[in-house]
Amino acid sequence: MAKYKVIVDEETCIGCGACTAVCDNFELIEKNGTFKAKSKKSDVSDIGCNKEAADVCPVSAIKVEEKK
Ligand code: F3S
């Protein structure tokens, strides 16, 4: 069962790609000429590297929320 929700705030993301370097749950998608990160799976049962991705993002665009 999914225990965590991984959210990327596209407005905040500057497309630096740090999250994709530390966690394979993230990919960069081109949008109107700029790159935005997207989580491949937004509902995960294991927090895994998603927390690390949130920590390395320079603009704190990634949130990992525990589901109640
Ligand atoms: Fe964007 Fe942060 Fe990843 S700026 S590309 S969400 S490390």
Side-chain angles (χ1 to χ4, degrees), residues 1-63:
M1 211 182 72
K3 281 166 65 181
Y4 299 94
K5 193 154 190 67
V6 182
I7 304 149
V8 179
D9 179 354
E10 282 191 8
E11 295 292 310
T12 310
C13 173
I14 54 170
C16 80
C19 54
T20 61
V22 298
C23 187
D24 62 7
N25 190 34
F26 294 88
E27 59 189 348
L28 285 176
I29 306 280
E30 196 180 352
K31 239 183 182 178
N32 305 322
T34 58
F35 284 94
K36 298 290 178 185
K38 192 178 166 294
S39 57
K40 295 177 189 169
K41 280 176 72 182
S42 56
D43 293 301
V44 295
S45 54
D46 196 346
I47 196 162
C49 57
N50 292 290
K51 170 83 171 63
E52 212 178 325
D55 288 345
V56 296
C57 178
V59 292
S60 303
I62 301 170
K63 301 268 175 289

